[in-house]
Amino acid sequence: RSAMVEAAAAVAEEEHDAAVREYDDVRDRGGVEEVERECEVGSSGGGGGGQMCLFTDLLGDPLCRIRNSPDFLMLVAETATGSAGGGGGGAEIIGLVRGCVKSVVCGGSHSKDPIYTKVAYILGLRVSPNHRRKGVGRKLVERMEQWFRQKGAEYSYMATEQDNEASVRLFTSRCGYSKFRTPSLLVHPVFRHALKPSRRASIVRLEPRDAERLYRWHFAAVEFFPADIDAVLSNALSLGTFLALPAGTSWDGDVEAFLAAPPASWAVLSVWNCMDAFRLEVRGAPRLMRAAAGATRLVDRAAPWLRIPSIPNLFAPFGLYFLYGLGGAGPGAPRLVRALCRHAHNMARRGGCGVVATEVAALEPVRAGVPHWPRLGAEDLWCIKRLADGYNHGLLGDWTRAPPGRSIFVDPREF
């Protein structure tokens, strides 16, 4: 999402003659990586202002954030470059954008049957600092929206931080998007010591087919729940789905029996391995902050029985596990979610991650059970735009005008 910080630079004040085309991995990788580097440096004031920024290392794969989606595309903007002596020139990549298309739930009918629509997600918009405010970004967005329409998408949406006024202004004022949903990104550091499992919960691992049955039953009317949830759960990056039950509750592995007569309280979540797709790094941190964080790790390593909340080394490349499909029911659901989060923390610790993260709706019923450090998270804003002219789901009408539900499903493939 830090990529959207650069989006403000795409506001058009004079038209640029840049050509927009599909990304070619062999031809364009070097140029794309250069634009990514330029934008990261630009977001931190050139590296000399002492301002911290979050750097994303895509591990040499510019498509890593979209390649697991059913349908995806990356576009680049290039401009001709001259050469000394007038002997012609080549082309320079000056901008890029990524997008993907899938079918998701946009609401539920009176019979609780899900209503699906085809939605597109636009992300990773970048424009080289030397070519900003010339319409390059808007040209990339408009070209991507053309592809979305060709794929039958009825809506397009994007995500950014609520306080990123420049990005919000670009998409709402110049590209026709409207403010839609305000989920929260909740982040928790991974300590050097393991967390004690909860004695008040029993945790069982579900097979992908059983997890799919449970998810389709529980999330049938939850916005953005993907129609191809089976593909998500069976992806190599999905490390498992875990069901938490009150301690002492019998479990014989029969999901159908569970769905027919669920216990008074239960909770579920799945774990996605973002670490194998990209790494993060906090840059520009003051030395004092680095030293203080390092001291907590030293104490935690020397005396793990104290269980001091140590701060991981976020100032070097680190990975994260993303928790998706959080849900549950009953008065004890938040407590059971907390037990699941402790389990996921220990998985991330064994996997060498720096943080675990999840994203939930503002009114999510189990949100109170998610442990997190507010200073590491963010309040997000999703903006949406209707692309189709007609209405294929008359029961709902125009989704952009629908009130928010209590929950929202955040697809880990696009985090």
Side-chain angles (χ1 to χ4, degrees):
R1 292 193 174 85
S2 62
M4 287 300 177
V5 174
E6 324 309 330
V11 177
E13 295 202 349
E14 56 179 283
E15 196 64 28
H16 200 290
D17 60 355
V20 176
R21 59 172 174 79
E22 185 174 349
Y23 166 79
D24 181 279
D25 192 53
V26 175
R27 174 183 174 186
D28 301 329
R29 178 173 293 193
V32 164
E33 291 178 346
E34 179 61 28
V35 172
E36 296 275 8
R37 282 193 295 268
E38 288 179 350
C39 291
E40 291 291 353
V41 171
S43 65
S44 59
Q51 182 179 352
M52 291 193 297
C53 69
L54 186 64
F55 173 79
T56 304
D57 181 358
L58 302 180
L59 304 180
D61 181 12
L63 299 173
C64 69
R65 292 187 62 197
I66 55 175
R67 69 165 59 256
N68 290 296
S69 296
D71 226 340
F72 62 89
L73 177 69
M74 180 171 174
L75 299 175
V76 297
E78 65 178 5
T79 187
T81 59
S83 63
E92 175 191 4
I93 293 179
I94 61 173
L96 56 105
V97 70
R98 302 170 179 89
C100 51
V101 177
K102 62 185 177 183
S103 293
V104 303
V105 171
C106 60
S109 65
H110 294 297
S111 61
K112 296 185 179 180
D113 292 330
I115 300 174
Y116 287 98
T117 188
K118 216 166 189 182
V119 67
Y121 181 45
I122 189 166
L123 69 158
L125 175 62
R126 298 281 180 120
V127 176
S128 178
N130 292 332
H131 297 274
R132 294 174 178 173
R133 303 189 70 81
K134 298 178 181 179
V136 177
R138 190 164 66 178
K139 183 178 290 188
L140 283 163
V141 171
E142 290 173 350
R143 179 68 177 275
M144 182 63 76
E145 289 177 348
Q146 290 178 12
W147 181 76
F148 289 162
R149 291 185 175 93
Q150 292 171 4
K151 292 297 179 179
E154 294 187 80
Y155 300 93
S156 173
Y157 78 103
M158 52 75 70
T160 188
E161 295 85 0
Q162 288 188 29
D163 59 0
N164 189 344
E165 296 179 2
S167 178
V168 174
R169 186 165 55 250
L170 167 67
F171 277 88
T172 58
S173 299
R174 302 302 181 103
C175 296
Y177 288 70
S178 58
K179 297 179 181 180
F180 190 55
R181 299 292 182 257
T182 55
S184 299
L185 179 63
L186 309 180
V187 182
H188 193 281
V190 175
F191 303 142
R192 288 192 62 89
H193 64 270
L195 300 180
K196 286 185 176 181
S198 172
R199 296 181 179 180
R200 303 173 63 187
S202 297
I203 297 177
V204 296
R205 179 169 182 159
L206 300 179
E207 293 297 323
R209 288 185 178 180
D210 292 334
E212 179 187 352
R213 291 191 191 98
L214 175 57
Y215 277 166
R216 291 195 186 280
W217 171 74
H218 182 68
F219 291 103
V222 173
E223 289 183 325
F224 292 96
F225 178 72
D228 66 335
I229 186 62
D230 53 324
V232 179
L233 295 168
S234 61
N235 191 290
L237 294 177
S238 190
L239 302 181
T241 300
F242 304 91
L243 177 67
L245 305 169
T249 304
S250 61
W251 171 259
D252 59 4
D254 188 346
V255 171
E256 294 301 332
F258 171 88
L259 299 182
S265 296
W266 60 273
V268 66
L269 64 73
S270 298
V271 181
W272 185 269
N273 179 14
C274 294
M275 185 174 181
D276 284 354
F278 59 86
R279 305 288 172 87
L280 302 172
E281 180 183 352
V282 177
R283 294 183 173 180
R287 290 185 179 180
L288 182 59
M289 179 182 294
R290 293 170 178 260
T296 65
R297 295 193 297 275
L298 289 174
V299 175
D300 197 4
R301 180 170 56 185
W305 60 88
L306 295 177
R307 302 191 178 279
I308 293 176
S310 55
I311 302 174
N313 186 10
L314 305 181
F315 314 111
F318 65 91
L320 71 88
Y321 282 177
F322 183 73
L323 313 183
Y324 70 99
L326 273 75
R335 170 175 54 82
L336 294 173
V337 163
R338 182 172 294 273
L340 288 171
C341 289
R342 293 173 73 89
H343 181 77
H345 169 279
N346 292 340
M347 287 180 62
R349 176 178 175 270
R350 292 191 296 270
C353 290
V355 301
V356 290
T358 190
E359 192 160 18
V360 297
L363 301 176
E364 170 57 52
V366 301
R367 176 177 177 147
V370 180
H372 62 282
W373 287 19
R375 293 193 65 179
L376 296 180
E379 297 300 317
D380 278 359
L381 173 65
W382 292 9
C383 297
I384 196 169
K385 176 180 180 178
R386 183 164 181 85
L387 300 176
D389 295 328
Y391 295 92
N392 294 336
H393 39 78
L395 289 172
L396 179 69
D398 187 351
W399 189 20
T400 66
R401 301 177 182 275
R406 299 179 68 191
S407 300
I408 197 169
F409 194 97
V410 180
D411 195 325
R413 296 173 295 186
E414 299 150 10
F415 178 74

